[in-house]
Amino acid sequence: MTKQQSVPDESAGNRMEGRWSGHAQSTSGPDAKLLARLAELERENARLQIALSTACTGCDDLLTVTALNEDLRTAFTALERSRAAHADSERRLRAILDSATGHAILTLSPAGRVTSWNPGAVRILGWTEEEARGQPVDILFPPEEVAAGVPDALRVRALAEGRVQEERAFRRRDGAAVWGALTILPLQGDEEGFLWILHDRSDERRMEEAIADARRRATDILDSIDEALVALDCDYRVIYQNRRAEQLDHQSLSAMRGRRLWEVWPQIAGSDLEALCRKTMTERQPTSIEKRFDGEGTTLWLEIRYLPTAEGVGCFFRDITMRKRAEEEARASHERAVKILESISDAFYAVDHDWRFTYINRKAEQLWGRSRDTLLGRCLWEAFPNALGSESLEAQKQAVREGREMTIEVMSPVLGDWVEVSIYPNADGLSVYFRDITARRQAQQALLQAKESAEAADLAKGKFLAAASHDLRQPLQALLLFVDVLKPYVQGSQGTNALMHLGRGLDALKELLDSLLDMSRLDAGVVQPNIETVPVAPLFEHIAASYRPVAAAKGLELHVSSCSAAARTDRTLLTRMVRNLVENALRYTESGRIDIECRRAGGRLLIEVRDTGIGIPPDHLERIWEEFHQVGNPERDRNRGLGLGLAIVRRLSQLLNHPVDVQSTPGQGTSFVIALPLGRSIEAPATAAEAATTGRGRFAVVVDDDAIVLLGLETIFREWGYEVLVAGSAQKAVEGLSRMGRRPDLIVADYRLREGQFGTDAVARIRALYGDPGKPPVPGLILTGETGPDCERDAAAHGLGIIHKPVTPRQLSHALGELLGGT
């Protein structure tokens, strides 16, 4: 061997050194020691080569080099075999990891970053190996757990305990949750870090939750049933009881589980209950029994049923104490009912669905004159053939068909007398009570005759009231008019005083007549309210105009507030209520003021009349609503009124459903408040000016069939400066107008004229004479003593005003002013 042949190529040695060193960097374990030895030999060989290149002094050195090269080749061959075995081991391990798709297997660096990621991790967690490598393991945890430091805590536990195993939820790449069983192992040897093995148990978890949910539902169902349930295995040991059983035996399931039935309830041992339970267990057939248990002052009835089950026997217990008590009460009730039916004065019998007698009481025996022993079990019409086709039997059949109770009064086909029959269908057939009412029928007949007489008398009363209302008002109306006509013609203080007292007397008579007739009409129920939306402002203006002069004459201030609201009420009846309250305040107030106000409260409109008068003592607050009751007027001074004003207010309040509240302090004053339903506010028409007492040459037509009233009206109209045409009928008015040829400025007519004629017809005939489409109809006013609603409806239908007799000249003047609108 030459020198050049025995020395390896230096560059080749360097390449080999790099190859091994590179391999050494990628290996570990036993190969690492071999690589280290090989590296040492290579370094020694390199030194020898350097020495030989400078000088080769002997063959001993060549032998040494040769030996070293041989050792090197041997070591290299061993290394190659080791690397092949290691590569094969890595291939097998990779194959195992790649095939374990049911597990996510990954390794982490000590800092918790992913260093390897198997296909199972790709499938289970969603990230590819390229996406996951280098990522912190925090990506597998929900943000809140990352914030709480859960991943770091798991690594610390793994280092401390050497192994961590637990189940928890992990997060996939798409945000979905994965339930997994996790095992964490710290890596051993030169390569530090952690091995994570995650088994996907999501399907198992869902199945376990479904099973647990099914068990919960089954338990809830068993706990919700009314029966107590105790389940036994084949050895009669308790394996389950529901909530109702726990309430019944006052023992928890944990205290009972595993114990035999008679160990839990020693009283069952050797009893019929144990025998039935064993029979169900051995014969696999259901058994049941009702058992009574007596305790200290208590009695408990249980219905016990044993049912065979796959595990053994199910024992069902139902508390039937209430049912047993009900049965006992039903039996006692039946006995009481029999005693009652035997003692009542009514005859009673019961039939089944085939119309056969099932019960007959003693009274029925007596009325029929037949023994019930001979009737029970027989068909009704077989026992009493006369009943066939009778009204009583047909009514009983109808009650059965319609399933409803009936009570009738018929002539009994059996007794031949009047009977009242009460029929009651029931589940068992029919129950019938009947009694002899012959005497009562006779009394009813007498009562009917008396009722007819009373109705005739009431009709006569109504006619009398209507006649009295009209006939009493007519002469009074004439007197009122003539008193006013006489004023300019009476000279001297004595005559003036006499005329003044006459006027006051007539005013008092008018007030008394109005009040009495109003009370009679309200008590008779003939007043029918006309409910409409009524603005309150015109009502207040009318009250102020009427009573402010009266208040001023007494030195009182009458203050009327403005009110833009409207109410749902009867205009005329509400006005009467407020007027009566104001008149009451004027009578009982000597100094101070009277206030009339309105306000909204709680969805209603309140009208208040308040004074500073003498007040009402507390013990009189209810009595003031009585007729003729007056506070502080024992002498019955007529100047203080009649005591009917508040009684009329109370009746009108009830008629209109407008409650009136009163509050009073003796010596300080009184407040009356009327509560009305609110109406939709409407634009109030301008109030017409009151007509001047001078007619300024206007032409008035007056129609009345009472000569005295007609004369009084003619006189007062002429005194006011009107030209007047008076007539006793519509025909005469038409004839007179035809002669005069002048269109009237207004028409005043009584409502009820002679020969069945009406004042509204008279106005219509006069208007027809002067009908002009371009002009409004002639204004008309009905002046009447009628107080019924027919007159008001008729006048409203013709667009006429209405004023009721007796009317004072001032009231008539005011009505004319509203009618003519101040023209």
Side-chain angles (χ1 to χ4, degrees):
M1 176 183 296
T2 65
K3 185 176 181 179
Q4 288 78 10
Q5 291 173 333
S6 61
V7 179
D9 184 270
E10 183 177 359
S11 61
N14 291 336
R15 288 195 301 272
M16 186 180 296
E17 182 180 4
R19 179 180 178 187
W20 283 107
S21 63
H23 185 73
Q25 291 174 0
S26 61
T27 59
S28 61
D31 289 342
K33 296 179 180 179
L34 184 59
L35 288 173
R37 175 61 179 162
L38 187 60
E40 183 181 355
L41 290 173
E42 287 180 343
R43 287 192 295 273
E44 184 67 23
N45 187 32
R47 288 193 296 271
L48 288 174
Q49 287 177 348
I50 294 171
L52 288 174
S53 64
T54 57
C56 181
T57 58
C59 58
D60 289 338
D61 292 332
L62 292 174
L63 291 174
T64 300
V65 171
T66 302
L68 287 173
N69 282 332
E70 186 66 28
D71 290 342
L72 184 61
R73 283 193 294 272
T74 303
F76 182 75
T77 302
L79 178 61
E80 285 295 322
R81 286 197 300 268
S82 176
R83 289 181 63 187
H86 183 69
D88 184 60
S89 176
E90 282 187 344
R91 282 192 301 272
R92 288 197 301 271
L93 179 60
R94 174 58 61 181
I96 292 172
L97 293 178
D98 290 348
S99 63
T101 56
H103 293 73
I105 302 174
L106 53 149
T107 57
L108 305 179
S109 69
R113 291 188 176 272
V114 176
T115 56
S116 68
W117 188 269
N118 79 328
V122 176
R123 183 187 67 82
I124 294 172
L125 299 173
W127 283 276
T128 65
E129 186 173 4
E130 291 76 11
E131 293 172 332
R133 189 183 296 276
Q135 292 286 342
V137 76
D138 297 1
I139 63 174
L140 305 182
F141 291 84
E144 60 272 13
E145 292 190 355
V146 175
V150 172
D152 295 337
L154 289 174
R155 293 198 299 275
V156 172
R157 280 182 55 198
L159 291 173
E161 301 173 9
R163 183 187 188 93
V164 171
Q165 286 184 307
E166 64 177 38
E167 291 191 8
R168 62 171 44 251
F170 295 91
R171 189 177 66 164
R172 280 178 51 87
R173 185 178 187 278
D174 58 7
V178 176
W179 186 265
L182 175 65
T183 300
I184 304 176
L185 297 169
L187 291 176
Q188 304 296 327
D190 297 334
E191 186 174 354
E192 296 181 348
F194 301 91
L195 174 66
W196 281 37
I197 303 173
L198 177 64
H199 173 52
D200 184 4
R201 294 194 66 251
S202 299
D203 292 340
E204 298 173 20
R205 173 80 171 183
R206 283 190 290 270
M207 186 174 295
E208 290 171 357
E209 290 178 348
I211 293 172
D213 186 58
R215 287 176 177 170
R216 281 194 300 270
R217 288 198 300 270
T219 301
D220 290 342
I221 292 171
L222 292 175
D223 283 343
S224 66
I225 64 176
D226 186 49
E227 289 184 291
L229 166 63
V230 177
L232 309 176
D233 62 14
C234 58
D235 292 326
Y236 301 96
R237 296 182 184 277
V238 175
I239 58 176
Y240 174 78
Q241 75 168 355
N242 67 354
R243 186 179 294 115
R244 183 71 179 116
E246 187 171 327
Q247 294 171 351
L248 193 62
D249 57 41
H250 305 292
Q251 299 186 64
S252 65
L253 177 59
S254 59
M256 296 178 60
R257 184 180 281 120
R259 299 170 62 191
R260 285 187 171 86
L261 185 64
W262 34 88
E263 292 174 350
V264 177
W265 293 295
Q267 63 269 32
I268 291 180
S271 69
D272 50 355
L273 296 178
E274 180 187 356
L276 285 174
C277 184
R278 291 184 179 277
K279 180 178 180 182
T280 299
M281 183 74 77
T282 55
E283 299 181 6
R284 314 306 292 168
Q285 293 293 327
T287 58
S288 64
I289 189 175
E290 293 183 357
K291 192 75 173 177
R292 173 173 175 165
F293 298 90
D294 292 317
E296 296 182 1
T298 61
T299 298
L300 177 67
W301 277 92
L302 293 179
E303 178 188 48
I304 304 171
R305 296 184 298 123
Y306 297 109
L307 300 177
T309 65
E311 294 85 0
V313 171
C315 307
F316 292 86
F317 303 83
R318 183 193 297 272
D319 186 349
I320 59 171
T321 306
M322 296 299 294
R323 193 192 80 192
K324 283 294 185 180
R325 289 176 182 171
E327 291 175 355
E328 292 174 359
E329 290 177 0
R331 284 193 295 270
S333 176
H334 177 71
E335 293 174 359
R336 289 194 301 270
V338 170
K339 291 180 180 178
I340 292 171
L341 291 174
E342 290 301 318
S343 62
I344 62 175
S345 59
D346 287 354
F348 172 82
Y349 65 86
V351 295
D352 60 17
H353 294 293
D354 295 324
W355 296 92
R356 299 184 181 277
F357 287 111
T358 57
Y359 185 81
I360 299 172
N361 74 346
R362 186 176 296 109
K363 184 64 176 179
E365 274 187 315
Q366 295 171 356
L367 287 178
W368 286 337
R370 303 272 295 272
S371 170
R372 53 183 157 186
D373 294 335
T374 63
L375 297 174
L376 292 174
R378 296 182 62 187
C379 181
L380 187 151
W381 47 83
E382 291 176 357
F384 298 103
N386 292 343
L388 276 174
S390 67
E391 184 179 354
S392 174
L393 182 58
E394 292 304 315
Q396 295 177 49
K397 290 181 178 179
Q398 180 183 354
V400 171
R401 285 194 306 271
E402 299 177 1
R404 64 183 181 90
E405 301 172 3
M406 294 179 62
T407 298
I408 59 171
E409 294 182 2
V410 295
M411 180 66 71
S412 170
V414 178
L415 302 178
D417 291 323
W418 280 96
V419 293
E420 179 186 79
V421 184
S422 298
I423 309 164
Y424 300 92
N426 54 59
D428 298 322
L430 199 67
S431 298
V432 180
Y433 297 81
F434 63 96
R435 67 176 65 181
D436 188 338
I437 59 168
T438 304
R440 193 183 79 187
R441 290 283 295 192
Q442 293 172 349
Q444 285 178 341
Q445 188 64 30
L447 184 62
L448 180 61
Q449 294 175 354
K451 178 176 178 293
E452 292 174 351
S453 299
E455 289 176 348
D458 187 60
L459 181 61
K461 174 187 173 184
K463 291 180 179 179
F464 169 76
L465 285 175
S469 175
H470 185 272
D471 295 343
L472 290 175
R473 290 172 189 268
Q474 290 292 83
L476 182 58
Q477 178 63 75
L479 291 173
L480 288 169
L481 295 174
F482 280 119
V483 166
D484 202 72
V485 170
L486 285 174
K487 287 180 181 180
Y489 304 102
V490 175
Q491 303 296 327
S493 60
Q494 186 174 1
T496 302
N497 288 335
L499 189 61
M500 179 188 68
H501 289 304
L502 175 61
R504 289 180 178 177
L506 291 175
D507 286 341
L509 181 60
K510 174 184 180 300
E511 180 184 353
L512 174 61
L513 179 61
D514 286 342
S515 298
L516 288 174
L517 290 174
D518 284 345
M519 290 286 292
S520 299
R521 293 173 62 239
L522 289 170
D523 289 340
V526 299
V527 179
Q528 297 297 323
N530 178 29
I531 303 300
E532 58 181 335
T533 299
V534 177
V536 177
L539 184 149
F540 277 16
E541 292 171 2
H542 179 73
I543 295 292
S546 299
Y547 292 101
R548 193 166 276 134
V550 181
K554 292 189 66 175
L556 302 175
E557 179 185 355
L558 177 61
H559 178 264
V560 181
S561 66
S562 61
C563 185
S564 61
R568 293 290 297 168
T569 184
D570 182 291
R571 186 189 311 271
T572 302
L573 300 183
L574 175 63
T575 302
R576 183 60 186 273
M577 291 179 70
V578 178
R579 289 175 66 95
N580 282 13
L581 293 177
V582 173
E583 290 175 358
N584 184 77
L586 286 169
R587 289 192 185 99
Y588 292 97
T589 303
E590 298 301 329
S591 63
R593 60 185 289 164
I594 297 170
D595 292 280
I596 306 174
E597 299 175 350
C598 79
R599 61 183 181 273
R600 293 179 175 89
R604 297 177 73 82
L605 179 66
L606 305 182
I607 295 179
E608 181 178 11
V609 178
R610 186 174 61 253
D611 64 55
T612 58
I614 64 173
I616 304 171
D619 57 335
H620 284 255
L621 283 175
E622 283 302 319
R623 297 182 60 196
I624 60 173
W625 307 108
E626 299 173 2
E627 296 89 341
F628 304 109
H629 180 79
Q630 293 177 302
V631 177
N633 188 18
E635 299 84 4
R636 304 295 297 163
D637 180 4
R638 293 299 93 196
N639 293 325
R640 303 284 293 274
L642 302 170
L644 292 176
L646 294 182
I648 292 174
V649 169
R650 168 60 63 89
R651 283 165 169 78
L652 291 175
S653 166
Q654 295 169 346
L655 178 66
L656 296 172
N657 191 23
H658 295 349
V660 180
D661 179 62
V662 57
Q663 294 182 354
S664 183
T665 302
Q668 297 184 19
T670 302
S671 168
F672 289 92
V673 178
I674 307 173
L676 306 94
L678 271 170
R680 183 175 58 86
S681 296
I682 58 177
E683 188 70 25
T687 303
E690 185 170 338
T693 55
T694 57
R696 299 197 298 255
R698 294 189 183 97
F699 179 32
V701 177
V702 180
V703 182
D704 199 307
D705 60 355
D706 188 290
I708 298 178
V709 174
L710 193 61
L711 179 58
L713 288 171
E714 181 183 15
T715 304
I716 196 70
F717 269 94
R718 293 192 185 280
E719 288 291 328
W720 288 344
Y722 285 88
E723 292 186 21
V724 185
L725 170 64
V726 295
S729 66
Q731 182 61 34
K732 291 181 179 179
V734 169
E735 292 173 358
L737 287 170
S738 299
R739 288 192 300 271
M740 297 180 65
R742 181 181 176 184
R743 186 179 191 272
D745 294 298
L746 72 123
I747 307 167
V748 178
D750 188 12
Y751 179 67
R752 194 175 296 277
L753 304 172
R754 293 178 182 175
E755 299 177 357
Q757 296 182 7
F758 296 95
T760 51
D761 298 330
V763 174
R765 290 185 62 182
I766 295 172
R767 283 176 169 177
L769 293 176
Y770 304 98
D772 186 345
K775 292 183 179 180
V778 178
L781 179 69
I782 297 297
L783 179 63
T784 180
E786 296 283 335
T787 56
D790 294 340
C791 175
E792 295 181 5
R793 284 195 293 265
D794 196 7
H798 286 80
L800 304 175
I802 186 169
I803 187 168
H804 293 280
K805 298 176 183 178
V807 59
T808 64
R810 183 177 59 82
Q811 291 172 331
L812 179 59
S813 174
H814 180 75
L816 292 175
E818 291 186 341
L819 181 68
L820 298 174
T823 58

